Amino acid sequence: MRHSVPSRVAAVLLVTSALPLAAAQAAKAGPPAETAIHCGSLLDTAAGAMRGESTIVVEGDRIREVRPGGTDRAALEAAAKAQGASFRYVDLAGSTCLPGLIDAHTHLTMQFGPTSYTDQFRLNPADYAIRSTVYARRTLLAGFTTVRDLADRDNESIALRNAVNAGLVPGPRIFTAGRPIGSTGGHADFTDGYRLDLEGDPGPMAGIIDSPADAWKAVRQHYKDGADLIKIMPSGGVLDESRSGDNPQMTVAEIEAVVAAAHDYGFTVAAHAHGAEAIRRAVIGGVDSIEHGTFADDADIALMKAHGTWFVPTIIAGEFVAEKAAVPGYYPPQVAAKAAAIGPKILATAGRVYRAGVKIAFGTDAGVYPHGENAREFALMVQAGMPPLFAIQAATTHAAELLRQQGNIGVIAAGAYADIIAVAGDPLADVARLQDVGFVMKGGTVYKLDGRPVE
Ligand SMILES: [Zn+2]
């Protein structure tokens, strides 16, 4: 079928001219844009199998069809144009296509460095929010089309999510916890280490709880703030300025109250926990995932398996903080001591948890190390004993399940969001290939092509 010149001109005008908002919305309601992606091979994460040459047909923001074999480009183009849709062809014949990756543990609104402990007295929430747009773009271009953001400081991640969803800034799909919830002086208390007249008493509005009643208030405040899920800090952590990195900091009653309130509002609960006792309490309290899990003992691991609790390893963060702990002045002395004690242990724990058959989702604690290097985690997971396919499924199908987004993300299949990436070569033979993503599409929009960002 021939395509007339006037409508081709109209299509160009729709893309290039600055239309008033109402006209742009009317244009969006028209026939959706169609893209055919020709992949040299395709990783079917749902089936756990590498397929050969394949064609993905994208309509609007979703995948319409996945066909084996090459593209009949002319036929697809003619069919699209017959519907009045625009058509684009992407040649990835030399690459492996796989679903956009999911990092189930990021902090897009922060990036730790030697100046972080003084920055907090100089920077405003707006500074963190603007920086987060840079980190979000970097993360997307690294092939991560979805993140679960596990705590910010002043709900900047909620504003970031809204800006990404509105199409104002490029970034991954964001499911965010907003502020973390923990106890006075604990890992969620940003006033740790402050002098007395500055530390104040943050309270449930700022996520600091000291009773089950406070827990209900804090969770309900998150609902009001627009969070997507809840993050709790039942154990000490590395980067805050208190003494212990692993002590228990919440009671079972407090954790149960958070979980009960969270489930009322459809939130899942992620628990940062390094210490064995804190992990035990969090699992018994009913949380959905344990983050880090450094000192998990055999009883904790058996409990996680029995409760169906997810484990999110964040090995790269452990390796990074252990390395920086040896650099004089990089962290305050108390933080450096915790980093040296905890960091190097996460890799071995991840291996033990994997061998026990606990459900694992990929997560990195991005922001503890520089954003955009997320894919380095894959090689560390393999080093811990996980097969490459398992590590990739942890970042696709498994993470989608943790996010309750099965079928929407983490798969290349009809009906899923068109979140698609590609790498040269075979990532099952070498997971480090995922550190060099050449193509990124999110929701049908191409953000990276031939290894370069698309402006
Ligand atoms: Zn974290």
Side-chain angles (χ1 to χ4, degrees):
M1 184 166 290
R2 270 187 63 88
H3 189 74
S4 68
V5 172
S7 70
R8 202 176 277 169
V9 171
V12 169
L13 285 175
L14 283 179
V15 174
T16 55
S17 62
L19 292 169
L21 191 61
Q25 278 164 349
K28 269 186 187 165
E34 199 171 301
T35 306
I37 305 171
H38 178 202
C39 306
S41 51
L42 186 150
L43 183 61
D44 181 342
T45 48
M50 186 66 83
R51 311 285 184 207
E53 199 179 12
S54 305
T55 301
I56 307 167
V57 183
V58 173
E59 189 178 297
D61 64 350
R62 301 249 180 193
I63 295 167
R64 192 180 72 202
E65 184 185 356
V66 184
R67 310 178 173 179
T71 321
D72 186 348
R73 183 178 173 175
L76 279 168
E77 181 161 8
K81 299 242 160 130
Q83 306 287 323
S86 66
F87 180 82
R88 178 174 194 174
Y89 171 77
V90 178
D91 182 3
L92 299 173
S95 302
T96 301
C97 294
L98 58 161
L101 302 168
I102 304 166
D103 189 331
H105 191 137
T106 65
H107 300 279
L108 283 178
T109 57
M110 40 187 121
Q111 184 157 298
F112 267 87
T115 64
S116 296
Y117 296 87
T118 48
D119 283 348
Q120 61 179 325
F121 297 103
R122 298 196 178 95
L123 301 182
N124 291 304
D127 293 293
Y128 289 105
I130 288 173
R131 286 160 193 228
S132 76
T133 64
V134 176
Y135 305 144
R137 178 172 181 269
R138 220 169 262 172
T139 302
L140 177 63
L141 292 177
F144 288 81
T145 52
T146 301
V147 303
R148 189 176 62 141
D149 206 66
L150 288 189
D152 57 19
R153 197 168 160 142
D154 289 294
N155 285 336
E156 301 95 335
S157 65
I158 293 173
L160 176 65
R161 177 202 64 196
N162 294 345
V164 170
N165 287 349
L168 298 172
V169 294
R173 299 178 191 285
I174 297 170
F175 295 86
T176 181
R179 292 188 174 106
I181 293 177
S183 58
T184 293
H187 190 47
D189 189 339
F190 284 107
T191 66
D192 281 353
Y194 290 12
R195 65 176 204 235
L196 195 60
D197 62 316
L198 291 179
E199 72 182 21
D201 184 8
M205 280 287 287
I208 301 307
I209 65 160
D210 289 290
S211 69
D214 281 357
W216 281 90
K217 173 148 189 170
V219 171
R220 287 168 170 168
Q221 183 64 43
H222 277 67
Y223 177 68
K224 190 174 175 181
D225 292 344
D228 300 302
L229 60 126
I230 299 294
K231 167 83 178 292
I232 61 169
M233 305 295 206
S235 101
V238 172
L239 295 181
D240 71 74
E241 291 194 73
S242 66
R243 193 181 309 132
S244 172
D246 64 329
N247 60 357
Q249 298 186 339
M250 291 175 75
T251 65
V252 173
E254 287 165 345
I255 296 167
E256 281 174 342
V258 168
V259 169
H263 289 175
D264 269 3
Y265 294 89
F267 295 143
T268 55
V269 179
H272 152 107
H274 291 295
E277 172 62 13
I279 295 167
R280 188 186 70 80
R281 292 186 194 180
V283 176
I284 287 172
V287 304
D288 298 276
S289 67
I290 295 290
E291 314 292 315
H292 323 301
T294 311
F295 298 109
D297 57 24
D298 291 345
D300 286 335
I301 293 172
L303 210 53
M304 286 166 70
K305 189 160 163 59
H307 284 250
T309 314
W310 286 89
F311 175 63
V312 180
T314 72
I315 307 169
I316 182 176
E319 301 287 304
F320 184 87
V321 300
E323 182 192 317
K324 295 303 179 192
V327 178
Y330 194 93
Y331 296 127
Q334 199 145 277
V335 172
K338 291 190 289 181
I342 289 172
K345 296 199 169 65
I346 298 183
L347 190 140
T349 301
R352 282 167 51 231
V353 174
Y354 166 71
R355 285 189 293 278
V358 173
K359 296 188 292 184
I360 293 178
F362 178 103
T364 67
D365 221 355
V368 168
Y369 69 90
H371 291 284
E373 297 180 11
N374 315 53
R376 285 173 52 203
E377 180 81 8
F378 288 107
L380 294 167
M381 291 169 89
V382 170
Q383 206 180 313
M386 300 175 213
L389 175 63
F390 182 91
I392 295 171
Q393 287 175 320
T396 52
T397 47
H398 298 179
E401 192 185 333
L402 172 59
L403 282 165
R404 299 179 175 172
Q405 292 292 317
Q406 303 101 304
N408 275 330
I409 56 174
V411 286
I412 295 180
Y417 282 118
D419 293 1
I420 299 159
I421 65 165
V423 295
D426 180 0
L428 294 181
D430 178 10
V431 280
R433 293 275 183 190
L434 294 168
Q435 293 172 41
D436 188 14
V437 169
F439 172 78
V440 177
M441 171 184 270
K442 185 195 126 198
T445 300
V446 177
Y447 290 92
K448 194 178 192 182
L449 188 64
D450 298 326
R452 284 186 296 276
V454 174
E455 297 305 330

